[in-house]
Amino acid sequence: MEVKIFMKNIKVRAYCSSANLGPGFDIVAVALDAFYDEVEVSVKNGRGDIRVTLVEGPYSSRVDPEKNTAIEALKYIISKYDLKVDVELKIWKGIPVGLGLGSSGATAAASVKALSELLGAPSSIEELIEAAGEGERVSAGEPHYDNVSASVLGGLVLLYSTKPLRVASFKIGGCFVLGIPLVETPENKTKLMRSVLPREVELKKMVYNTSRLTALLVGLLTGDLETAGRGMEDIIVEAARAPLIPCYAKVKEEAFNAGALGVALSGAGPSIIALSKSKEEALIIASAMKKAYESCGLEAITKIAYPAPGAHVVEA
Ligand code: HSE
């Protein structure tokens, strides 16, 4: 496809995200303002070459410029739309990598959004998310769209169909606390954490989890945070992953003791996310989570975070 190049160079920011929120495996996520990535994308007429020429920022050391979610996502677009362009990427990595904060998804989301702003392709939000989700193959072995949807659209996202891809996004309230253990995780962590999941689920567990998901969504969508918090419980996916998460039980217990309304694994972990009503309460929960990590001999950081906007142009 011959493309008319509207602009040559653009910088897009995309925020981190927390997927699942307990029972919403692969279908629920929230974009959070705790961390963001920025990607500067330049295009010129060419043959579809994609090059990462700069990776900087506090978490740049864990980004492989040759093997990156952004590259996979852009390759997918270039091939799908047969775009006759070369693309150059400069990545500013502000999201911790491999810790369950949708880091790879945010880079892919920012890159795809940038290309779409520059070339007009992909033109629909669904196509954009589909392409960014393709990037997730690099770390997860298969595409999943929860993190990328949150980074693209912002707020709370609900994926209600994958074929065809359909996502709804909502502005929500609430104040979240992220407990982030500073541990090394393998490059294919998400793939690994998906490999431990059960292939089949007992009906009664399915019913219980569905009731939690309903509580989560009713609560978040009506602003009833107590109900939302009670909905952040997952006895299927999170239960299978919990034994692999450092200090999981202790951090969860102490977050609840400090007043958290709900606590869940953030994405595939190892970070843990708690919900609170206010910043004052969130600060108390954050301090309790940090002490819990210390009691396990782990260095950790905590962040108070609010729902963030979607990927957007910061410099054109
Ligand atoms: N929903 C995905 C998972 C998110 O839990 O595997 C991974 O970031």
Side-chain angles (χ1 to χ4, degrees), residues 232-306:
M232 287 173 71
E233 191 192 359
D234 165 21
I235 60 167
I236 299 170
V237 172
E238 193 164 319
R241 289 172 165 174
L244 301 172
I245 302 299
C247 208
Y248 170 82
K250 181 78 180 157
V251 173
K252 201 166 169 175
E253 182 187 342
E254 293 305 334
F256 274 125
N257 288 343
L261 301 175
V263 185
L265 196 59
S266 183
S271 294
I272 290 177
I273 183 166
L275 176 64
S276 77
K277 254 188 274 179
S278 64
K279 184 165 183 189
E280 291 66 40
E281 292 184 17
L283 286 168
I284 297 168
I285 297 162
S287 149
M289 288 168 84
K290 194 161 165 54
K291 278 200 195 113
Y293 279 119
E294 279 164 11
S295 77
C296 295
L298 286 174
E299 200 188 330
I301 53 172
T302 53
K303 276 271 188 182
I304 310 292
Y306 295 92

Side-chain angles (χ1 to χ4, degrees), residues 58-178:
Y59 299 100
S60 53
S61 63
R62 287 225 33 207
V63 177
D64 181 349
E66 303 287 319
K67 214 172 87 198
N68 191 273
T69 50
I71 296 180
E72 290 312 310
L74 295 178
K75 261 191 206 159
Y76 176 82
I77 298 175
I78 287 178
S79 133
K80 181 167 178 186
Y81 299 91
D82 191 23
L83 299 175
K84 308 281 189 239
V85 290
D86 289 339
V87 183
E88 183 190 335
L89 286 176
K90 292 179 182 163
I91 300 171
W92 186 85
K93 192 73 210 155
I95 306 177
V97 177
L99 297 179
L101 301 171
S103 179
S104 52
T107 320
S111 307
V112 170
K113 170 78 176 170
L115 201 68
S116 147
E117 291 283 332
L118 286 168
L119 304 180
S123 53
S124 78
I125 286 291
E126 286 80 11
E127 286 170 319
L128 215 139
I129 291 169
E130 205 154 38
E134 279 297 314
E136 297 284 38
R137 277 190 202 277
V138 177
S139 58
E142 57 186 344
H144 60 93
Y145 304 97
D146 45 5
N147 290 115
V148 291
S149 298
S151 287
V152 167
L153 291 167
L156 174 77
V157 293
L158 310 179
L159 271 133
Y160 57 92
S161 165
T162 46
K163 277 189 176 78
L165 192 86
R166 294 285 178 264
V167 190
S169 68
F170 300 89
K171 280 196 170 171
I172 55 162
C175 180
F176 293 88
V177 185
L178 293 169

